[in-house]
Amino acid sequence: MDITYKKVSQSKITISELMLPSHTNFSGKIHGGYILMLMDQIAFAAASKYSGTYCVTASVDTVDFLNPIEVGELVTMKASVNYVGNTSMVVGIRVTSENIQTGKVKHCNSSYFTMVAKDADGNNMKVPHLILTSSEDVRRFCNSLKRINQKREHDKHEETFDYTSPEALEGLLKYNIRLDL
């Protein structure tokens, strides 16, 4: 079987959208859920463009909303595949907003979506291997490896940690809680 390789640049997608009053939350800022929906769409587009097939979202790493987005600002999202496994891809997304009157640009958030390639029957499908062509590609790939390994370590700890031990329960008392078990 021939191994297919693709460059990171073959996955890059940029979208921009003007934020409207219909996108606001109760405080008048753009609703975080709306931004997450757009992020999921661009992650799908980047992963599908790269893999050449339908993709689904498997997980989303931390999304920290760094700056609020205002009505009338132009939101731009940039996405690319940063890492590939056998059937999965990690898509990095950067979200910025621009006040189109002043030109001021804010970094609003960054996140990483793990997408899985699917065939027509819904089975996982192998994805092309990745060609890294710049130091930025290498940095993003290595950071993805770091996040993947941290998640594995976290999951391993979750499996072995006994939440019911007297020591664990005693350790909880330093937090703002009361145990009534």
Side-chain angles (χ1 to χ4, degrees), residues 23-25 29-41 63 65 77 109 113:
H23 303 140
T24 59
N25 59 24
K29 308 296 183 195
I30 300 305
H31 196 286
Y34 184 73
I35 298 301
L36 285 170
M37 180 190 71
L38 293 176
M39 292 172 74
D40 191 52
Q41 289 175 6
V63 180
F65 292 96
M77 297 186 182
N109 66 49
F113 281 55

Side-chain angles (χ1 to χ4, degrees), residues 7-20:
K7 295 179 181 180
V8 171
S9 61
Q10 292 177 274
S11 71
K12 289 190 175 188
I13 301 276
T14 301
I15 62 170
S16 294
E17 184 173 326
L18 184 65
M19 294 295 105
L20 303 174

Side-chain angles (χ1 to χ4, degrees), residues 126-140:
K126 290 204 177 287
V127 297
H129 292 204
L130 196 58
I131 302 172
L132 307 176
T133 62
S134 70
S135 58
E136 186 68 11
D137 291 350
V138 172
R139 182 186 68 78
R140 289 177 175 163

Side-chain angles (χ1 to χ4, degrees), residues 83-89 116-117 124-129:
Y83 169 89
V84 297
N86 290 316
T87 63
S88 66
M89 298 151 280
V116 177
N124 291 359
M125 189 173 155
K126 290 204 177 287
V127 297
H129 292 204

